[in-house]
Amino acid sequence: MAAGTIRYWAAAKAAAGTAEEPYTADNLAEALEAARLNHPGELALVLRRCSFLVDGAPVGTRGHETVRLAEGGTVEVLPPFAGG
């Protein structure tokens, strides 16, 4: 298991109630499932609309279970922004 940081932006930050938190997971799917469990309610809905960067690289359409997380890595949770 890798340990790193999830950073929430905009609506994801509001739904999580925090700007960032640690993760311990092997892949993005596991990290996001833990986030949903830690913040039941609105965050699960927001995450459905988000895009993700893992260590600065866009995840795009790859399956979240295929996106490996690195020790000390960063997951950026980016909800859609108005006008962009």
Side-chain angles (χ1 to χ4, degrees):
M1 290 263 186
T5 303
I6 296 179
R7 292 191 182 129
Y8 300 103
W9 298 95
K13 179 179 172 181
T18 188
E20 63 180 50
E21 64 185 350
Y23 71 73
T24 303
D26 287 323
N27 59 56
L28 181 58
E30 291 175 4
L32 295 177
E33 182 58 26
R36 287 181 191 94
L37 292 173
N38 290 336
H39 308 284
E42 184 68 21
L43 184 60
L45 298 173
V46 172
L47 289 177
R48 290 185 204 157
R49 300 185 316 261
C50 289
S51 58
F52 304 94
L53 300 177
V54 173
D55 298 330
V59 171
T61 59
R62 290 183 287 161
H64 294 169
E65 66 284 346
T66 69
V67 180
R68 306 291 299 167
L69 300 178
E71 184 67 29
T74 303
V75 174
E76 307 277 349
V77 180
L78 307 167
F81 294 93

